[in-house]
Amino acid sequence: MILLEILKDKSRSFIQNIILNGEVSVNDKNKKQSYKIKENDIIKLNIKDPVPLSIKKEDISLDILYEDQSIIVINKAQGMVVHPAPGNYEKTLVNAILNHCDLSGINGVLRPGIVHRIDKDTSGVIVVAKNDLAHVKLSKQFKDHTINRKYIALVEGVIKESSGEIDKPIGRNSKIRTQMAVCEGGRHAITHYKVLKRFDNNTLVECTLETGRTHQIRVHFSSIGHPVVGDLVYGYKKQKFKLNGQLLHAKTLGFNHPENDEYVEFSSELPEYFLRVVEILGAGAKNL
């Protein structure tokens, strides 16, 4: 890679990121990492100045379900990013929590206290660690897949089976690197589901995660022909309802408390916009 010679003081991952971020052009066009430089090609670098590693505390309202000296459990609203990242350093859940309390520093400046994430446009329960010991103990439970996580989703189409299991590996989409996909060589991923209600053209399901891969529920249900309603990335481009994101809600989160190892469980109700769509569909509901 010629950029390794040009940017000798930079790592390979740094170079890959500036290519993905459109900071490198060849003949005034962005190219893929696999592009082979030709004679007379003109390479231009427009590398952005690094953002200082600090997080602004912001006075943003939080729906706190539970809090003690070790953990804080939040009912995250749809549209809120969990933690700062390049291009999005403000108005995240972390910005809001830091204005309320201190968090574990294990994940560094940008992701303090974060032991798991839910997508920006997914609502629901998330736990955040307030100290390092809680962070380590919670992270181990997520790694060992002993966390109880249940989601409610409204999907396209009518699922015939009353329950089922989707066991398909998930990895980075080879063509669109910002997306995930079911693919060979992907990480092991299992989603269990139970039908709660059938409608004329939709199904309300409860999903239990055995693993926790990025976009797992959205990718898995899309792969079986039942994408989540409102999901413009993995679902239909034309939607029947005016939504700001997918109808996917992290309903229940259960784990052993890091202080005393006793099992605790937290739940939150479906948000109003989700219930509104279910009510609209209700007139066409079918018996299970």
Side-chain angles (χ1 to χ4, degrees), residues 61 74 92 104 129-130 154 170 186 214-215 236 239:
S61 177
I74 305 288
T92 73
S104 159
K130 296 175 71 173
L154 183 70
I170 293 176
T214 301
H215 301 172
Y236 299 158
Q239 296 285 336

Side-chain angles (χ1 to χ4, degrees), residues 3-14:
L3 291 180
L4 287 172
E5 299 177 17
I6 297 173
L7 303 170
K8 293 181 180 179
D9 61 331
K10 302 297 184 183
S11 67
R12 183 179 291 271
S13 61
F14 174 86

Side-chain angles (χ1 to χ4, degrees), residues 5-183:
E5 299 177 17
I6 297 173
L7 303 170
K8 293 181 180 179
D9 61 331
K10 302 297 184 183
S11 67
R12 183 179 291 271
S13 61
F14 174 86
I15 292 172
Q16 289 173 340
N17 283 331
I18 64 173
I19 294 173
L20 289 172
N21 292 335
E23 298 172 48
V24 179
S25 65
V26 180
N27 304 323
D28 293 323
K29 293 183 179 180
N30 293 330
K31 301 290 185 180
K32 294 182 178 180
Q33 294 181 45
S34 58
Y35 177 80
K36 295 182 179 179
I37 298 297
K38 301 179 180 63
E39 189 176 354
N40 298 322
D41 276 349
I42 299 174
I43 303 172
K44 292 182 181 179
L45 303 179
N46 183 26
I47 302 175
K48 300 170 185 174
D49 293 332
V51 177
L53 290 179
S54 62
I55 298 180
K56 181 170 66 174
K57 298 178 181 180
E58 297 182 79
D59 186 11
I60 300 171
S61 177
L62 291 170
D63 183 2
I64 300 173
L65 301 177
Y66 174 82
E67 182 180 9
D68 59 28
Q69 63 184 6
S70 297
I71 61 173
I72 182 168
V73 181
I74 305 288
N75 180 27
K76 188 188 82 67
Q78 185 186 62
M80 177 177 271
V81 175
V82 169
H83 63 76
N88 191 38
Y89 289 95
E90 299 179 353
K91 298 181 180 179
T92 73
L93 183 66
V94 166
N95 293 102
I97 296 177
L98 284 176
N99 190 61
H100 174 78
C101 65
D102 292 330
L103 295 175
S104 159
I106 286 181
N107 272 346
V109 176
L110 295 182
R111 293 185 295 155
I114 300 302
V115 294
H116 72 121
R117 290 172 289 183
I118 53 180
D119 299 338
K120 173 186 175 182
D121 291 329
T122 297
S123 58
V125 185
I126 181 171
V127 61
V128 181
K130 296 175 71 173
N131 58 59
D132 290 356
L133 180 60
H135 196 128
V136 169
K137 289 189 174 182
L138 287 172
S139 293
K140 186 176 188 307
Q141 293 182 61
F142 278 98
K143 183 179 179 181
D144 294 342
H145 307 304
T146 58
I147 301 288
N148 180 23
R149 282 179 288 180
K150 294 185 185 298
Y151 287 71
I152 303 296
L154 183 70
V155 302
E156 303 284 4
V158 179
I159 298 177
K160 296 180 181 179
E161 300 80 9
S162 59
S163 62
E165 175 186 290
I166 307 172
D167 183 352
K168 296 183 179 183
I170 293 176
R172 188 69 59 181
N173 188 318
S174 60
K175 296 180 179 179
I176 307 175
R177 301 301 293 173
T178 56
Q179 296 181 18
M180 308 302 288
V182 168
C183 59

